Structures are given as C-alpha cells and as structure tokens.
Amino acid sequence: MPKDTPNPKTNPNKDKLIQAVLDGMSSEGLSCFKACQAAGVPNSTFMRWVDADANLAERYARAREDLIERIATETIAIADEPVPTTSTGATDSGAVQKQRLQVDTRKWLLSKLAPKRYGDKIELSGDPDRPLAIQKIERVIIKRGDTENRDS
C-alpha cells in the first residue's frame, strides 16, 4: 500500500475521511471520485469501506441521492437563467448553445444516475381496440449442419 494511502485498519481519521467524502457529495455537489480526491482518500479505498459497512452504505446512498437532487436543481437553475444579449441587444447565440449543452449534459447524467426517476420512459403499446399481446415465445437451438430438426 502506498505511503499516502490511508489504511482503514490503522487510520484513526477514518471516520473524518468518510464524513468529508459524504459532505463533499451532499453539500458541495462533488462526484464520489472528486470528493475522495478532496478528502485525500483513494476512491477504491472509500468504496471498499462502503462495501464492508452496511451503515456506511446507507449513508453513501443518501449522499448520492442528495447529489442527484442537487444536479436536478442545478439543471433547472441553468435553464431558468436569462440569456445574455450582445452589445447590439441581440440574443447571444453562443451563450444559448452553452446553456443548452449544460442542461443536456446534466439531463443525460441524471438519466444514467437515476434512470427510474430521470430516464426516458419507454412504453410499447398498440391500438387500444387491438392491444399488443405476446402469443408465443419459442427458443429453437439448431446444431451446425443439422437441418433435419428445423421446425420451418
């Protein structure tokens, strides 16, 4: 283990490091990786601590939910910001594109971090008078060179 890597068994500051990572995620909006960097603990070490401690896993899940909520709130704030204008009074199209990119990036990230809440809903439906129904699902395994056993 490198000299600067905290050892969870001998590190008396483990609880402080854990709290610093969780605070970085919840309060500062840092990713787990960035929060670990700021606290001076390797991300892999922190994740091992999470895996080994059910209470910490629960606290980490809450911090992650806080982070997700913060990203969602930031997305709305960016979208609601007034668009700057140029010196001639025209809308600054570059600023509009930047805002769009910021919003789209956060929306994409939210859809990956919390797909049930922020992901695209995919629904398969048919005609209301004739709804889709699964008639039959069949699995046929054909050996190479064995064309006699084919059903078709």
Side-chain angles (χ1 to χ4, degrees), residues 23-35:
D23 287 345
M25 291 175 67
S26 294
S27 304
E28 298 173 36
L30 299 175
S31 67
C32 181
F33 183 81
K34 288 287 188 184

Side-chain angles (χ1 to χ4, degrees), residues 1 29 41 57 84-85 109 130 132 137 144:
M1 185 176 289
V41 60
T85 56
L109 183 60
R130 295 176 48 204
L132 295 175
I137 297 177
R144 286 188 180 172

Side-chain angles (χ1 to χ4, degrees), residues 37-53:
Q37 278 185 328
V41 60
N43 187 55
S44 58
T45 299
F46 179 77
M47 293 312 294
R48 275 195 303 275
W49 293 345
V50 170
D51 290 340
D53 184 347

Side-chain angles (χ1 to χ4, degrees), residues 125-137:
S125 62
D127 184 357
D129 297 331
R130 295 176 48 204
L132 295 175
I134 298 173
Q135 299 295 325
K136 180 180 180 182
I137 297 177

Side-chain angles (χ1 to χ4, degrees), residues 9 19 27 44-45 56 63-64 93 101 109 116 136 150:
K9 294 176 184 163
Q19 194 58 49
S27 304
S44 58
T45 299
L56 176 55
R64 186 175 155 96
S93 62
L101 179 61
L109 183 60
K116 289 182 182 177
K136 180 180 180 182
R150 274 194 172 166

